[in-house]
Amino acid sequence: MNQVLDKIYETQLVEDIEGNLINPFPTSTPYDIGTLFQQLIKQHNFNRTLEVGMAYGLSSMFICQAHQDKGLGSHIAIDPFQSSEWKSVGLLNVNKAGLSEYFHFYEEFSYQVLPRLLNQGNKIDFAFIDGSHHFDYTLVDFFYVDKLLEVGGYVVFDDIWMPGIRKALYYILKNRMYELVKNPTSSSIPKRIGRFMKRFLQNPLETNYSGIKSLPDNICVLKKIADESEDNRPWDFYRSF
Ligand SMILES: C[S@@+](CC[C@H](N)C(=O)[O-])C[C@H]1O[C@@H](n2cnc3c(N)ncnc32)[C@H](O)[C@@H]1O
C-alpha cells in the first residue's frame, strides 16, 4: 500500500511537524473503508476525485494512493481548519507519503470552494462528503457535488450514524436520480447489529428508507444515474422524505 499509511494504522498515531504524536481516530477513516475507496476508484477508473473534510489526511492518502497505483488521477481536498485545528498534519502526511503530485488543497469552507470549481467547468467522478455534519451543510455539499459529478460517478457520505446525514440521504434517494450501491463489508455481524440498533433507537419511527439504517458500515455510497439535462422534474416536484 503506502508506508506512511501502513505505519499510521499500525501505531494508531500521526505526527505533527514538531514530532508530537496524536491519535487520529475516531476522526479518521477506518482502514477497511479507505481500502474500499481504493477498490472503487481503481475498479471504475475514477480519475477525478474530491473530498470535503480532510483532517489528518488519511482518506486523502488512500485516494491519492489509488491514483498513483493507476498512474493517473487528481484529488481535491477542502478543509477550512487544516492549519488551525489539525496543525497541517493532513498536508504533512500527503507530502510524507509522496503523493503530492496527485493532490490539490483548498483551506476554505466547502460552500466557498465548490461553486468556484463548478464555475471553472470542473467535473469529478467520485466524491467523499465528510465535512460539516449538519443537515444543511451536508445538503449544500451534495448540491454542488451533484453538479460536478459525471453520470455513473459515486458520492460517499460518512457518518450515517447521525440522523441529519440519514435525512439528507432520504431526500436524495427520494427526490434525485441516485441509487444505493451495496459493497462488500468486513464488519462483523455483532457490529452490524449494534449499528442498526443504535440507528433504530435514535428514532424508532424513522422509516428505514432504502435500507439505509441497515447498511453494514458507517458510510453510504450513492451512484448518479441520470444527467442534469434529464432532470425533468416538474417545477413543483417534491416527494416527502
Ligand atoms: C471527520 S473529519 C474528516 C476526516 C477525513 N475525511 C478522514 O477520513 O481522514 C471532518 C473534517 O471536516 C472539516 N470541516 C468542517 N466544516 C467544514 C466545511 N464547511 N467545509 C469543509 N470542511 C469542513 C473539519 O475541519 C474536519 O477536518
Side-chain angles (χ1 to χ4, degrees):
M1 219 214 333
N2 181 294
Q3 284 182 356
V4 174
L5 266 176
D6 281 345
K7 191 173 169 209
I8 292 171
Y9 284 92
E10 198 184 301
T11 59
Q12 303 276 295
L13 292 167
V14 294
E15 197 175 337
D16 71 10
I17 191 94
E18 285 135 15
N20 300 308
L21 296 172
I22 306 160
N23 180 350
F25 302 103
T27 301
S28 304
T29 304
Y31 186 85
D32 54 337
I33 300 301
T35 52
L36 173 67
F37 289 175
Q38 293 190 318
Q39 274 168 31
L40 295 176
I41 288 167
K42 289 184 195 174
Q43 184 186 342
H44 299 283
N45 214 18
F46 289 150
N47 288 328
R48 297 160 298 179
T49 56
L50 179 145
E51 159 182 48
V52 179
M54 182 190 184
Y56 296 116
L58 274 56
S59 46
S60 299
M61 284 191 284
F62 275 110
I63 294 169
C64 290
Q65 183 61 49
H67 292 326
Q68 189 178 66
D69 295 348
K70 288 187 284 106
L72 185 67
S74 164
H75 182 58
I76 295 170
I78 305 167
D79 198 318
F81 307 118
Q82 176 57 211
S83 47
S84 59
E85 195 162 331
W86 310 103
K87 299 165 89 183
S88 300
V89 170
L91 296 176
L92 204 62
N93 274 335
V94 171
N95 213 13
K96 271 200 254 177
L99 296 167
S100 304
E101 71 178 281
Y102 303 95
F103 185 70
H104 304 272
F105 176 68
Y106 296 87
E107 186 149 11
E108 291 171 76
F109 290 97
S110 53
Y111 56 79
Q112 296 170 315
V113 179
L114 292 171
R116 231 165 48 229
L117 294 175
L118 186 65
N119 268 338
Q120 291 162 359
N122 289 285
K123 281 286 174 191
I124 58 171
D125 308 301
F126 176 94
F128 181 35
I129 297 184
D130 190 20
S132 164
H133 287 64
H134 293 135
F135 171 80
D136 47 352
Y137 284 74
T138 303
L139 207 53
V140 168
D141 285 343
F142 168 76
F143 180 86
Y144 283 107
V145 160
D146 172 50
K147 294 201 176 297
L148 290 162
L149 195 63
E150 297 280 14
V151 176
Y154 284 13
V155 51
V156 181
F157 292 77
D158 198 20
D159 292 310
I160 62 164
W161 68 270
M162 299 180 71
I165 306 285
R166 293 200 297 274
K167 198 74 177 164
L169 287 164
Y170 298 152
Y171 165 75
I172 296 162
L173 284 165
K174 277 211 149 180
N175 287 271
R176 305 305 319 276
M177 298 299 278
Y178 280 77
E179 69 183 19
L180 189 66
V181 178
K182 294 204 172 147
N183 294 292
T185 179
S186 55
S187 289
S188 63
I189 302 282
K191 200 156 197 173
R192 293 170 66 162
I193 294 171
R195 284 198 170 117
F196 177 76
M197 287 312 292
K198 182 171 176 180
R199 295 168 194 164
F200 174 77
L201 291 172
Q202 282 167 337
N203 179 4
L205 299 179
E206 178 185 321
T207 310
N208 187 13
Y209 186 73
S210 287
I212 300 278
K213 283 205 281 193
S214 335
L215 287 174
D217 297 301
N218 194 26
I219 57 158
C220 176
V221 184
L222 300 185
K223 177 179 178 180
K224 181 170 179 171
I225 53 174
D227 196 0
E228 183 105 328
S229 56
E230 294 168 43
D231 181 359
N232 48 10
R233 287 176 290 176
W235 70 273
D236 57 352
F237 179 89
Y238 171 79
R239 286 201 195 116
S240 59
F241 58 98

